[in-house]
């Protein structure tokens, strides 16, 4: 764990004092799950369920806010069982899927989801020719129901393919009233209007949070960081955590703490749990 700014240690200490009233917000891929070539196989870290259940004893709620479909996040993370265990402590696990467009909680145990955006079907029909023209026809296309993600990680030069695709996909998305969300070797196209920042604001309001931590790893988490910044400006104890990688350092300058991927995130959550217990002594 690396404190990035002079204020970071004080912010950490303030959050520990407010932890019982705090919401812990966590991205999934690159934060709870190691990044893998096949995104459909990105299981959360083996230690994550135990760490999350222990953390639930000392916080108000836990929210996983991910670009993945909620159903997929539940399956890959075993989150239904995690939510049940958290419920035994009288706490609640929330899963916001597809950047907050979908919602599940361990209390309601059902997914609430809107209809797919109108332009998505036309985007998908035009996508193969767009990939072909950008010499990226073998990019992995992940259909998510409310969005589509184009992954370049498997291509021979993932970074170059990402650059070639960025403008053509942005143009195709704009022509179909869709928005583009770039990530780590992935370009996601979805309906405009909802982002991870909206999910942060919503869960903070609903839970009447007295503190908020958010941990993320790439550009899709910038809006969540901004929303936590708004809570900070309003006087709430907050902490921003960057799950660092060699691929994406965009969040580092915005963060209070940098950790080394999912292993580092879980170590930080363990430390928070231990420090909260110490304050009760």
């Amino acid at each position: 764990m690396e404190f990035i700014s002079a204020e970071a240690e004080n912010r950490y200490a303030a959050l520990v004092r407010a932890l019982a009233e705090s919401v812990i917000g966590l991205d999934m891929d690159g934060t709870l799950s190691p990044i893998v070539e096949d995104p459909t196989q990105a299981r959360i870290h083996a230690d994550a369920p135990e760490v999350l259940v222990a953390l639930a004893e000392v916080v108000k709620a836990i929210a996983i806010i991910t670009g993945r479909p909620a159903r997929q996040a539940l399956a890959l993370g075993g989150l239904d069982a995690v939510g049940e265990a958290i419920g035994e402590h009288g706490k609640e696990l929330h899963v916001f899927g597809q950047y907050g467009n979908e919602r599940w909680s361990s209390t309601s145990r059902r997914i609430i989801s809107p209809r797919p955006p109108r332009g998505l079907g036309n985007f998908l029909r035009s996508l193969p020719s767009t990939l072909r023209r950008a010499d990226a026809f073998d990019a992995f296309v992940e259909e998510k129901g409310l969005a589509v993600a184009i992954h370049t990680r498997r291509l021979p030069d993932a970074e170059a393919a990402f650059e070639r695709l960025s403008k053509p996909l942005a143009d195709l998305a704009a022509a179909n009233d869709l928005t583009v969300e770039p990530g780590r070797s992935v370009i996601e196209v979805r309906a405009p209007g909802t982002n991870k920042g909206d999910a942060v604001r919503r869960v903070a309001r609903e839970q009447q949070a007295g503190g908020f931590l958010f941990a993320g790893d790439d550009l899709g988490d910038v809006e969540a960081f901004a929303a936590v910044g708004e809570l900070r400006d309003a006087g709430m104890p907050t902490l921003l955590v960057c799950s660092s990688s060699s691929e994406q350092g965009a969040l580092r300058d915005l963060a209070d703490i940098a950790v080394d991927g999912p292993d580092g995130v879980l170590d930080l959550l363990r430390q928070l749990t231990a420090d909260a217990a110490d304050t009760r002594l």
Side-chain angles (χ1 to χ4, degrees):
M1 179 169 69
E2 176 188 356
F3 291 106
I4 296 175
S5 68
E7 299 85 5
E9 291 190 56
N10 290 333
R11 288 172 180 164
Y12 178 91
L15 185 75
V16 169
R17 291 193 294 271
L19 208 55
E21 299 301 316
S22 295
V23 174
I24 306 300
L26 302 163
D27 170 47
M28 190 165 173
D29 291 270
T31 302
L32 285 178
S33 304
I35 296 291
V36 295
E37 286 194 3
D38 183 351
T40 65
Q41 300 300 315
R43 304 285 191 298
I44 67 170
H45 193 291
D47 294 344
E50 179 182 355
V51 172
L52 293 177
V53 172
L55 178 67
E57 295 187 51
V58 298
V59 302
K60 195 163 193 178
I62 298 173
I64 294 175
I65 305 173
T66 175
R68 287 186 175 275
R71 194 174 306 280
Q72 188 181 76
L74 287 167
L76 293 177
L79 297 179
D80 203 324
V82 173
E84 185 174 352
I86 286 174
E88 291 175 1
H89 296 291
K91 304 296 177 63
E92 194 169 18
L93 174 67
H94 302 267
V95 176
F96 291 86
Q98 305 218 37
Y99 297 88
N101 279 297
E102 296 181 327
R103 178 83 182 267
W104 177 94
S105 77
S106 55
T107 300
S108 69
R109 309 191 83 80
R110 66 188 182 92
I111 296 171
I112 300 171
S113 177
R115 293 182 178 180
R118 294 173 106 183
L120 192 60
N122 188 57
F123 178 90
L124 284 167
R125 286 189 290 273
S126 302
L127 182 57
S129 60
T130 302
L131 295 178
R132 190 178 292 109
R133 286 194 299 271
D135 192 26
F137 188 73
D138 291 332
F140 176 62
V141 176
E142 181 187 8
E143 295 187 37
K144 297 184 172 184
L146 300 179
V148 58
I150 298 92
H151 298 263
T152 65
R153 187 176 303 279
R154 298 178 180 179
L155 299 179
D157 189 338
E159 187 174 342
F162 181 94
E163 294 300 324
R164 290 197 307 273
L165 280 171
S166 293
K167 187 177 187 308
L169 290 179
D171 290 344
L172 182 58
N176 289 282
D177 297 321
L178 301 170
T179 191
V180 171
E181 192 79 58
R184 292 164 61 178
S185 299
V186 60
I187 300 169
E188 183 153 328
V189 176
R190 58 184 175 84
T194 300
N195 57 53
K196 290 186 179 184
D198 296 322
V200 166
R201 296 180 190 96
R202 182 175 178 182
V203 72
R205 181 178 64 252
E206 291 176 351
Q207 294 294 317
Q208 298 182 321
F212 208 105
L213 175 150
F214 187 82
D217 75 308
D218 72 6
L219 295 175
D221 299 309
V222 169
E223 290 94 344
F225 271 42
V228 174
E230 294 168 9
L231 299 175
R232 175 177 295 172
D233 291 342
M236 184 183 294
T238 63
L239 197 69
L240 291 169
V241 180
C242 174
S243 179
S244 296
S245 78
S246 59
E247 290 186 35
Q248 179 58 263
L251 292 187
R252 187 180 175 88
D253 290 342
L254 303 174
D256 299 308
I257 292 175
V259 298
D260 187 14
D263 283 323
V265 170
L266 294 180
D267 284 344
L268 172 61
L269 298 182
R270 290 186 185 99
Q271 189 65 53
L272 273 173
T273 303
D275 289 343
D278 288 345
T279 62
R280 296 177 176 181
L281 299 179

